[in-house]
Amino acid sequence: MKIVEGYMPFKGFQTYYRIVGEATPGKAPLLCLHGGPGSTHNYFEVLDCLAEDGRQIISYDQIGCGNSYIEGHPELFTNEVWQEELVAIREHLGLDEVHLLGQSWGGMLEIAYMADKKPEGVKSLIISSGHCSSSLWAAEQHRNIKFMSQEDQDAIKWAEEHNDFTRPEYLEADRHFAERHIAGKPGPDAPECLTRPKKSGREAYLVGWGPNEYTPSGTLKDFEYTHTLKDIKVPCLVVSGTDDICTPLVAKTMYDEIPNSRWELFVGCRHTCFVEDNERYVKMMLEWLNEND
């Protein structure tokens, strides 16, 4: 498959993008918004095969991570700036019509983008393990924590009460939490895109979100868009896993509030359903995209 990589000038820096496949009339491109904030596009490469259906699959590294890495500019790690970057990448690549797939923070970003920018040309949304409310997200993670060992619960509680996320006991508890609800270490047969070294945006994550998934303290701590979901008029696919940090309550909240929505629950999956059950996810996406072109 044809792969084109490039850079877009953005606020004095550069935003990296990657385009897989050829454009086909009648098949709007899929633009993928990665999580974090501060992750990279890498894991979306497991969806390259979607381009075989005759549409372009486009991803990019948001400012602050991966091939768009910068540090020392905390003023850039905000909802507003990341929305501006999304607007800019659509304009730069001429994406007049597009499907949007947002995973985790990427799902938050597309919700905010629809509410704040009211863009034209969006054919559909796929909110994959995202959320519409930081307060709901934090509450659900603390509910998840109650199912962990008492030792882990105590370590997390101490870290939050003392604002100290450096003790070995906490780091071990946080690792256990991630293994239960986010992802495990890629196995020997994992796709190369999941194992290659990447430049994660640690500063972007800390400034934008916080020290972990359950303590939002950054610029997104007051991210509250539940009341805007009713105004999303395009078809929307909500995706989550049964063991996901996007808990069934978080997913159902979005499904209930978005008028033209569908919810797909992936049994046994954690935070990256498209990795852990790739075959089902790809089949679902092919059907969804073709139905909503």
Side-chain angles (χ1 to χ4, degrees), residues 69-212:
Y69 183 83
I70 60 168
E71 59 184 350
H73 290 274
E75 73 279 3
L76 296 180
F77 304 139
T78 67
N79 179 16
E80 293 75 17
V81 170
W82 280 309
Q83 283 192 53
E84 288 178 35
E85 187 179 35
L86 174 52
V87 170
I89 201 81
R90 282 193 65 186
E91 292 179 352
H92 185 77
L93 298 177
L95 302 177
D96 296 331
E97 290 193 332
V98 69
H99 298 275
L100 293 179
L101 164 59
Q103 193 270 338
S104 192
W105 146 247
M108 298 166 61
L109 175 58
E110 63 184 344
I111 289 171
Y113 172 66
M114 296 299 289
D116 296 342
K117 302 299 183 183
K118 297 177 174 52
E120 296 183 355
V122 176
K123 306 288 285 187
S124 78
L125 300 178
I126 302 95
I127 304 173
S128 195
S129 300
H131 76 73
C132 56
S133 164
S134 291
S135 60
L136 175 61
W137 187 262
E140 280 294 274
Q141 304 326 312
H142 283 90
R143 185 180 61 81
N144 282 333
I145 288 168
K146 291 178 181 177
F147 292 97
M148 299 175 69
S149 71
Q150 191 61 51
E151 182 180 10
D152 284 345
Q153 291 183 56
D154 292 344
I156 291 171
K157 182 179 180 181
W158 190 95
E160 291 189 311
E161 288 178 344
H162 294 82
N163 195 32
D164 180 353
F165 301 93
T166 62
R167 296 207 312 176
E169 296 87 348
Y170 159 75
L171 295 174
E172 184 72 0
D174 189 55
R175 183 178 66 81
H176 292 160
F177 180 86
E179 288 176 347
R180 288 169 68 107
H181 299 294
I182 303 174
K185 186 177 180 181
D189 298 325
E192 182 273 338
C193 65
L194 302 180
T195 60
R196 80 168 72 115
K198 68 177 183 179
K199 192 102 173 173
S200 296
R202 183 60 180 165
E203 184 182 17
Y205 184 79
L206 284 170
V207 172
W209 182 253
N212 53 50

Side-chain angles (χ1 to χ4, degrees), residues 227-234 257 259:
H227 66 286
T228 73
L229 297 178
K230 67 182 185 305
D231 299 321
I232 295 176
K233 304 307 181 187
V234 302
E257 294 295 326

Side-chain angles (χ1 to χ4, degrees), residues 224-256:
E224 300 294 337
Y225 279 82
T226 306
H227 66 286
T228 73
L229 297 178
K230 67 182 185 305
D231 299 321
I232 295 176
K233 304 307 181 187
V234 302
C236 181
L237 178 62
V238 177
V239 185
S240 66
T242 55
D243 302 331
D244 202 339
I245 45 176
C246 175
T247 65
L249 177 58
V250 172
K252 187 175 185 300
T253 298
M254 295 184 288
Y255 168 69
D256 285 347

